[in-house]
Amino acid sequence: MTDPVTPLTPGTAQPPADDPADGLAASAAPGTARTRPGRASSSGARRVHRPAGQGARSSVLPGTLFLLALVGAPLVIVVAYSFMSRGMFGVGVAGPFSVDSYVRLLFDTQLDGSKIFDPRYIGVFWQSIWLAALTTVCCAVLAFPMAVWMATRSPRTRALLVFAVTIPFWTNTLVRTYAWVLILNDNGPVSGLLGTPIGLLYTPFATAVGLVYVSLPFMILPVYSSAEKFDFRLAEAAYDLGARRLTILRRVVYPAVRPGLVAGVVLVFIPSLGAFLQPQLLGGGKSLMIGNLIEQQFGASRNWPLGSAVAVALLVLTLLTLMGFALAGRRGGQKVSLM
Amino acid sequence: MTSAASHDGLRIKGVTRRFPAPEGGIVTALDDVSLAIEPAEFFVLLGPSGCGKTTLLRTIAGLEYPDEGEVWLGSERLDVLPPYKRRVNTVFQSYALFPHLTVAENVSFGLEMEGMSRKEAAPLVAEALELVRLPEHGRRRPAQLSGGQQQRVALARALAKRPEVLLLDEPLAALDLKLRRGMQTELKRIQQTTGVTFVFVTHDQEEAISLGDRLAVFQEGTVAQVGTPQEVYERPANRFVADFIGETSFLTAERTDAGFRLRGGDVLPADRVSGAGDMGDTGGGGGEVTIALRPEHLVIGGADAPLHGVVRESVYVGSDVRVGAELAGGEQVVVRLPVGAAFPEPGTRVGLDVLPGRGWAVAS
């Protein structure tokens, strides 16, 4: 992607993503860009204002319909549900407009009808943000050297390594997460190696391990795609100008790899924020994340409006995060793109 | 910038560098190369691609380490030092400007590596950009500059470090002809004002001859000849050098008492050829010698001229006319005629002569 005014726009150049969070990013980011013309708007403005012919207009129609049906409609339904009440026996929704579900996110209603502040849901959000951030940092720390190392191999080896990174995608995430249950449980190989069971499974640590494991390829691939384009003759030039190895990494390699790193952060942080498989299976349901909360409301708790309200809150959080990255990208003068 | 020539010159002593070849085996890129480059000299390393000249440059810079041999700058042994401890900087063929930094930040980079703050470096940066005549471009990014301007920034970035030796790796190869001519003049001017030793790699013999105070011609990892452009052009050490630099016709001849007998039976008088005394001594009486002839040292004469041939083609090249002729023995020679001279038609039989002492006997 080359348009400097619309950072973080996966949807403009890629086919509509099937993940609702990504789809939302696609519909939101162009809007934010258009309302705030950037300083580097010369090329972008020219592109936006180029008179669109009849052909151009009809060619965007299928994509628009696709987005409306698969992203817009579900979104409208979720938002609508969040402003209704529980249906009969908790199945579905019913009743008139109500903000009760949103109020419940922040307040607990006492028996006498008075409302007091309730930090439990906020706690779940906080826990999710914290775990997602931890996952992102761990992935970035692991992926950066890995991707730079990959990029310095011969073209043949590089192709093999990229292939190797994608191998986990061949197996369902659920199955791979169960594999971690086997690895981490008290009779598993980790405890076996340590000689004594130390209760790794069903801890936030296990959740984080699972999240990092699942997310790592999504960090490695975009960072690698930036690192692969890096001209290593620049590193030689820096070396020649008196820079030591660490300085070269920090001042020459890192700025070049930064767009990939930002893309990777988005690709890891946002899905991790809504993860429910890993906290459920590896965290033992003890460390609740937003995803688990939503799943519970639509499942066991049978409170669809509350589940919808949590989902909307997650969407808003995601949006704010994306906007934050877009802003940071603009300030850095970097073109941020996903892959 | 004042003269940086505080050292006693750059000494390359018996440097050998081998690489594993892609298809297996070992390639010797540099084979026991020794050179003495004097302070404030514009020294050119000339040779066809793959002859080892760039490897030598990278060895001086510290981007390669020699398998054998030493590199000395004055009393300091360079080849054991990392690049950041060498008072040597490089202008790369690809320019290698940092795309995320402005022009001024690029030039400032090397100074900041010496521990200067950006503010402290600013006057030196301005001075360096002034030197390459780009004082107004400090805030631009490399991508916003033309190739020639990027070239100047790369030069400023390396010179801002005030190196004792500046290495230039085919810096003009990517520029078009006209721009290249302009930059050659500019480089010469900068070298003379700064007094920095320039070691300049090129495969362009014309560039080498017009720029270099002295040049070293590389042949498959060894130095075939070192000398001033005039020495190398007029007295090439061997057939390779004669062939690589300038346009040359070669004649194989047998040394006789009367002179040099060619294959076709014509005899070139001995006074037309120099360098042959040595050849005769080494080759023994009656030995074979190769005579190198430049087009401008051949003349078309009358029927009494010592050599005889048939004109094959006459090509008008603007500044002169090039006549290709075939001698009696089948050898092809090229003669340069001044414009305005009679234009011999193909097929004409002509007599040919060599200006006295201008034929040059070389080792084959």
Side-chain angles (χ1 to χ4, degrees):
Chain A
M1 259 174 279
T2 53
D3 189 344
V5 242
T6 55
L8 283 174
T9 51
T12 51
Q14 291 180 342
D18 50 11
D19 183 335
D22 281 2
L24 187 78
S27 57
T32 54
R34 222 167 276 137
T35 50
R36 286 169 302 155
R39 66 197 152 110
S41 62
S42 57
S43 66
R46 221 175 294 134
R47 218 159 81 168
V48 169
H49 293 145
R50 187 173 45 196
Q54 195 65 39
R57 220 168 284 148
S58 61
S59 69
V60 299
L61 192 67
T64 313
L65 286 177
F66 198 75
L67 271 177
L68 279 178
L70 296 178
V71 179
L75 197 64
V76 168
I77 292 172
V78 170
V79 173
Y81 276 18
S82 71
F83 287 107
M84 292 185 191
S85 313
R86 291 172 73 176
M88 189 93 69
F89 311 116
V91 178
V93 288
F97 176 84
S98 148
V99 293
D100 277 358
S101 299
Y102 289 98
V103 172
R104 269 195 68 179
L105 287 182
L106 289 173
F107 299 100
D108 192 22
T109 308
Q110 302 296 94
L111 285 175
D112 61 2
S114 65
K115 291 179 170 24
I116 60 163
F117 178 68
D118 175 9
R120 281 178 300 171
Y121 291 120
I122 299 289
V124 171
F125 272 87
W126 177 243
Q127 169 97 344
S128 299
I129 292 170
W130 192 83
L131 263 174
L134 183 71
T135 304
T136 309
V137 169
C138 289
C139 283
V141 168
L142 291 172
F144 183 77
M146 173 77 186
V148 170
W149 178 78
M150 281 168 71
T152 52
R153 298 306 99 189
S154 73
R156 217 186 128 84
T157 318
R158 267 187 263 169
L160 269 174
L161 287 169
V162 170
F163 175 71
V165 169
T166 59
I167 285 178
F169 296 135
W170 295 1
T171 316
N172 186 285
T173 312
L174 184 66
V175 177
R176 287 184 286 138
T177 308
Y178 267 118
W180 277 102
V181 173
L182 295 179
I183 293 169
L184 294 176
N185 79 46
D186 282 353
N187 302 315
V190 175
S191 297
L193 272 179
L194 294 169
T196 167
I198 52 167
L200 284 174
L201 195 57
Y202 307 133
T203 58
F205 171 77
T207 307
V209 168
L211 283 172
V212 169
Y213 165 73
V214 167
S215 311
L216 196 55
F218 294 102
M219 184 67 85
I220 290 178
L221 292 176
V223 175
Y224 167 76
S225 83
S226 284
E228 193 199 17
K229 279 178 242 143
F230 178 69
D231 180 358
F232 280 90
R233 287 176 298 188
L234 294 179
E236 274 191 350
Y239 206 38
D240 185 75
L241 288 166
R244 318 272 176 110
R245 285 172 196 283
L246 270 180
T247 316
I248 294 173
L249 265 188
R250 190 169 54 84
R251 293 203 49 183
V252 181
V253 181
Y254 168 73
V257 172
R258 212 183 93 109
L261 208 57
V262 173
V265 165
V266 171
L267 285 175
V268 169
F269 182 77
I270 287 168
S272 298
L273 204 55
F276 69 95
L277 213 53
Q278 291 79 11
Q280 186 84 37
L281 295 179
L282 299 170
K286 278 190 284 185
S287 55
L288 210 57
M289 288 178 72
I290 304 173
N292 307 97
L293 190 59
I294 297 171
E295 189 256 348
Q296 272 180 15
Q297 297 311 316
F298 281 91
S301 304
R302 298 198 175 184
N303 193 339
W304 289 24
L306 183 59
S308 300
V310 176
V312 170
L314 175 60
L315 281 176
V316 170
L317 195 61
T318 305
L319 254 183
L320 289 176
T321 313
L322 282 171
M323 280 165 66
F325 280 123
L327 270 179
R330 271 162 51 97
R331 191 154 352 114
Q334 297 271 346
K335 297 167 196 169
V336 179
S337 63
L338 301 184
M339 312 282 281
Chain B
M1 252 173 249
T2 52
S3 169
S6 57
H7 57 91
D8 323 307
L10 187 65
R11 297 285 178 270
I12 319 286
K13 297 181 179 173
V15 166
T16 296
R17 180 81 175 108
R18 302 182 192 91
F19 294 108
E23 61 279 0
I26 300 285
V27 173
T28 306
L30 292 172
D31 188 4
D32 193 22
V33 169
S34 295
L35 287 173
I37 298 168
E38 302 309 325
E41 189 171 28
F42 200 126
F43 196 88
V44 178
L45 309 180
L46 174 67
S49 58
C51 68
K53 57 197 191 305
T54 294
T55 306
L56 180 61
L57 202 74
R58 291 169 59 84
T59 305
I60 302 169
L63 300 169
E64 303 273 359
Y65 288 87
D67 294 319
E68 286 160 38
E70 296 169 8
V71 180
W72 289 76
L73 181 60
S75 57
E76 190 176 34
R77 187 170 168 187
L78 283 191
D79 59 285
V80 291
L81 297 177
Y84 52 81
K85 288 199 180 143
R86 304 185 185 199
R87 302 271 297 146
V88 170
N89 289 105
T90 309
V91 175
F92 292 88
Q93 184 173 11
S94 62
Y95 314 148
L97 299 176
F98 305 123
H100 60 286
L101 299 181
T102 64
V103 166
E105 285 164 349
N106 262 285
V107 179
S108 178
F109 185 93
L111 297 168
E112 288 165 44
M113 292 302 120
E114 292 173 15
M116 283 188 210
S117 71
R118 198 166 281 184
K119 211 169 185 179
E120 285 167 335
L124 294 171
V125 171
E127 192 186 340
L129 286 174
E130 190 84 46
L131 183 69
V132 299
R133 300 191 174 159
L134 282 177
E136 309 295 326
H137 294 66
R139 298 180 67 86
R140 301 225 195 139
R141 300 236 171 209
Q144 295 170 295
L145 302 180
S146 69
Q149 289 172 327
Q150 291 185 22
Q151 174 62 68
R152 284 157 191 264
V153 176
L155 196 59
R157 184 176 69 173
L159 282 171
K161 297 269 290 180
R162 293 163 185 256
E164 297 192 7
V165 178
L166 185 73
L167 309 173
L168 302 104
D169 185 6
E170 306 232 7
L172 310 180
L175 303 181
D176 63 60
L177 188 64
K178 207 164 179 188
L179 210 53
R180 201 180 318 160
R181 289 270 155 76
M183 271 310 282
Q184 285 174 359
T185 320
E186 197 82 328
L187 276 176
K188 196 81 189 170
R189 172 186 69 81
I190 289 168
Q191 195 264 333
Q192 279 160 357
T193 37
T194 55
V196 174
T197 309
F198 275 33
V199 181
F200 185 101
V201 161
T202 184
H203 64 264
D204 181 339
Q205 44 103 6
E206 227 173 286
E207 190 166 277
I209 285 174
S210 60
L211 279 180
D213 293 328
R214 286 195 304 148
L215 45 105
V217 185
F218 276 70
Q219 179 183 9
E220 290 168 6
T222 60
V223 178
Q225 188 172 9
V226 182
T228 64
Q230 197 179 359
E231 281 166 1
V232 173
Y233 184 82
E234 294 183 1
R235 294 191 289 283
N238 62 20
R239 182 173 176 146
F240 171 83
V241 176
D243 200 20
F244 189 72
I245 294 175
E247 194 174 1
T248 313
S249 309
F250 292 101
L251 300 179
T252 309
E254 197 186 339
R255 181 103 212 233
T256 65
D257 293 337
F260 297 86
R261 184 194 299 278
L262 304 185
R263 264 188 293 172
D266 287 337
V267 175
L268 190 63
D271 72 326
R272 306 293 201 275
V273 181
S274 50
D278 309 1
M279 291 293 145
D281 289 346
T282 52
E288 258 198 5
V289 290
T290 300
I291 302 166
L293 296 170
R294 302 290 187 190
E296 63 272 28
H297 295 154
L298 277 162
V299 288
I300 290 181
D304 57 337
L307 307 181
H308 302 89
V310 178
V311 173
R312 288 285 168 232
E313 55 172 6
S314 292
V315 182
Y316 175 74
V317 292
S319 53
D320 49 57
V321 177
R322 307 250 148 176
V323 177
E326 190 177 317
L327 299 187
E331 303 99 327
Q332 307 287 330
V333 293
V334 178
V335 185
R336 196 179 91 177
L337 297 183
V339 186
F343 210 104
E345 289 298 321
T348 320
R349 301 193 66 85
V350 287
L352 291 163
D353 201 353
V354 178
L355 297 176
R358 288 308 198 164
W360 184 250
V362 293
S364 302

